[in-house]
Amino acid sequence: MKKKLSILLSALFLLLSISGCSSPVPTDATIAHEIPDIIETTSMVETEPPTETEPPYEPVSVDLVMVGDILAHEGVYNSGFYPDGTINYDHIFAQVKDDIQAADIAIVNQEVVLGGIELGLSGYPCFNSPTELGDALITAGFNVVLHATNHTLDKGITGVDNTLNFWKEKYPDIAVLGIHDETFTDYSTQDIYVYEQNGLRIAILNYTYGTNGIPVPQSRPLIVNLLDEEKAAMDIARAKEIADFVVVCPHWGTEYVYTPDSYQKKWTQFFYEHEVDLVIGTHPHVIEPVEWIESEDSDHKMLVYYSLGNFVSNQDRLPRMLGAMAKVTISMDLAENVDLTDESIIGYHKKIITDDDNIPGTSGGDELIVYISEYGVEPLVTHKLFGPGSITTYKLSDYTDTLAAQNRINNDEPGFSLQYLKDLSRQVFGDLYVE
């Protein structure tokens, strides 16, 4: 068998040699010559990871709204007592809460302390309100509450401490400005409230002209922020160090007067000289004008709302039913994107970015412009009724002749009408009021 296999293999080899059809066995050199690219490519190419690009800078806009005095007379706080024993004041804000909740910063002037029922409820002249009124403020959407007013000390230290304890225990994230507990003993250590959104930082300060002749307790000399030049200058300077935009909310002026008085003018100049950006005032219980403050020797501009009037009250005069909501949009963008010759760019100033700012889309040395891009005023109407869930506040744009005829202010002063409200709004706000 082995012999036959050997003969066959020999014959086959001879046949292939004679035919000349055989191909030489390829050597390593031949293979390398025919497909060198494949060999080199597969052995030499390295894949690099894709580079990450930083997203471009996104402009920032913060919408701020503020309303005037929550003046809780008996008729106001009694409206929250329901037959089933519950206490609720959501009805006061039901007609305007959409505007409040849509804002990034929503400020309210809580004119009176929230000392609670146990302290004894009272109206004019020494007010005290249920804490449930504070619950309604939060439900409505307010996130900054001002408490430095002429009624801060109506119930003494206890009234202030009850108010602070209510906010700390139930709503610790809400900014409560203008009053302080017993641990606060040095103005230079006061926490400055700063709202921050995508790198834009807005500081808010609150002061009152006085406390209706009630002396500040010697044991708590810093219980309420008073309009004091040394303190205000210190606060504003510190605010400017940590924020890009400074708002001051003073409780000032003369009650029931439609124009700013000399005291307001004096403090307006003070705020302007210290480069405050926005001032929104309360206390006169009626609306007062809105104006820009500027001077020939400075590029600085400051917007002032002298008085927003009452948000809600049971005062018995026609004009005190009309209040207002300030609406301001504060914007920030790269300097290269802002045309400073555009008349709509109002009250701007520059911010130089540092590496510590960590604002996406920017690096150290970039220049941002912070400015008021929009502002306006929304007149408001206290719809004075009596009974549980009755009294409320409307936007004037939603008010009607029918509602005006139902308003109980007509019992005190006939002549209240929708047209009266429009005329007064135009008289005080001028072209800023748009029907």
Side-chain angles (χ1 to χ4, degrees):
M1 182 68 181
K2 291 181 179 179
K3 187 176 181 180
K4 288 182 180 181
L5 180 59
S6 177
I7 294 171
L8 286 172
L9 290 172
S10 298
L12 179 60
F13 179 79
L14 179 62
L15 179 62
L16 291 171
S17 299
I18 295 172
S19 67
C21 294
S22 62
S23 299
V25 177
T27 64
D28 289 344
T30 304
I31 294 173
H33 176 73
E34 291 177 351
I35 53 173
D37 292 342
I38 296 176
I39 294 175
E40 291 177 6
T41 301
T42 56
S43 63
M44 300 297 293
V45 171
E46 295 182 3
T47 303
E48 295 183 1
T51 58
E52 295 184 4
T53 58
E54 187 176 3
Y57 175 76
E58 292 289 337
V60 185
S61 286
V62 172
D63 291 324
L64 177 153
V65 301
M66 177 171 159
V67 302
D69 305 336
I70 307 296
L71 196 54
H73 295 93
E74 289 92 337
V76 175
Y77 67 70
N78 283 335
S79 74
F81 291 92
Y82 287 80
D84 62 359
T86 59
I87 304 174
N88 187 286
Y89 295 96
D90 291 346
H91 53 276
I92 293 175
F93 310 98
Q95 308 301 324
V96 297
K97 68 178 182 180
D98 289 347
D99 291 61
I100 297 166
Q101 292 175 0
D104 300 298
I105 302 175
I107 310 173
V108 58
N109 184 60
Q110 179 53 43
E111 178 85 13
V112 302
V113 293
L114 303 173
I117 293 177
E118 66 275 12
L119 193 58
L121 302 182
S122 57
Y124 181 83
C126 290
F127 290 84
N128 178 48
S129 293
T131 55
E132 287 81 0
L133 183 55
D135 294 326
L137 294 177
I138 304 309
T139 301
F142 293 106
N143 53 15
V144 179
V145 183
L146 310 178
H147 269 293
T149 80
N150 56 308
H151 290 289
T152 298
L153 296 179
D154 280 3
K155 294 298 178 179
I157 292 175
T158 303
V160 174
D161 285 348
N162 283 11
T163 301
L164 285 169
N165 290 336
F166 164 74
W167 289 118
K168 288 177 183 178
E169 293 170 7
K170 200 162 185 181
Y171 303 104
D173 295 331
I174 295 300
V176 177
L177 309 184
I179 55 175
H180 308 282
D181 62 21
E182 71 281 355
T183 65
F184 183 60
T185 58
D186 185 353
Y187 273 140
S188 66
T189 64
Q190 177 180 343
D191 290 334
I192 304 294
Y193 172 71
V194 176
Y195 173 90
E196 182 170 359
Q197 182 173 312
N198 298 335
L200 175 55
R201 298 164 299 186
I202 300 169
I204 305 174
L205 302 168
N206 176 219
Y207 307 91
T208 179
Y209 73 92
T211 54
N212 286 348
I214 300 174
V216 175
Q218 292 184 357
S219 61
R220 295 273 291 278
L222 308 183
I223 194 170
V224 56
N225 287 353
L226 298 175
L227 278 168
D228 171 82
E229 289 190 5
E230 182 179 356
K231 171 178 169 44
M234 180 190 304
D235 290 347
I236 294 167
R238 292 179 59 223
K240 292 181 71 65
E241 289 177 359
I242 60 176
D244 311 304
F245 191 94
V246 178
V247 183
V248 176
C249 301
H251 205 66
W252 61 357
T254 303
E255 293 182 340
Y256 321 126
V257 175
Y258 302 113
T259 55
D261 63 19
S262 59
Y263 185 80
Q264 289 167 288
K265 289 291 189 178
K266 167 202 162 186
W267 275 101
T268 295
Q269 186 61 30
F270 177 90
F271 295 141
Y272 179 77
E273 290 172 355
H274 288 78
E275 296 189 343
V276 169
D277 299 290
L278 174 63
V279 176
I280 310 179
T282 55
H283 173 63
H285 303 306
V286 294
I287 57 174
E288 292 182 348
V290 179
E291 70 172 334
W292 284 97
I293 306 299
E294 55 187 315
S295 63
E296 294 181 355
D297 57 351
S298 174
D299 292 333
H300 180 57
K301 284 187 175 182
M302 182 177 76
L303 181 60
V304 182
Y305 290 75
Y306 285 105
S307 174
L308 298 180
N310 293 329
F311 179 84
V312 66
S313 77
N314 255 331
Q315 292 195 324
D316 57 358
R317 294 291 183 269
L318 301 185
R320 302 174 202 176
M321 298 297 104
L322 183 66
M325 178 187 296
K327 291 187 172 185
V328 181
T329 300
I330 303 155
S331 298
M332 183 170 74
D333 200 354
L334 288 169
E336 61 197 56
N337 298 333
V338 181
D339 179 8
L340 295 180
T341 64
D342 187 340
E343 292 183 357
S344 66
I345 305 300
I346 306 169
Y348 71 88
H349 53 86
K350 299 176 181 179
K351 170 180 177 177
I352 305 299
I353 296 299
T354 68
D355 291 330
D356 294 335
D357 286 322
N358 295 319
I359 299 176
T362 69
S363 57
D366 284 349
E367 187 175 80
L368 295 175
I369 304 296
V370 179
Y371 60 100
I372 293 175
S373 54
E374 267 188 272
Y375 72 101
V377 65
E378 181 84 56
L380 304 173
V381 186
T382 298
H383 192 54
K384 180 179 176 180
L385 299 174
F386 297 105
S390 53
I391 192 169
T392 190
T393 295
Y394 283 87
K395 294 191 291 185
L396 179 56
S397 57
D398 294 334
Y399 212 55
T400 65
D401 287 313
T402 300
L403 288 170
Q406 296 170 351
N407 197 314
R408 293 289 292 275
I409 190 64
N410 285 292
N411 295 350
D412 303 305
E413 280 200 329
F416 185 79
S417 69
L418 180 60
Q419 191 59 51
Y420 166 83
L421 297 168
K422 290 180 178 180
D423 291 344
L424 184 56
S425 296
R426 191 174 297 106
Q427 172 190 329
V428 175
F429 294 131
D431 293 339
L432 195 59
Y433 167 61
V434 179
E435 287 191 30

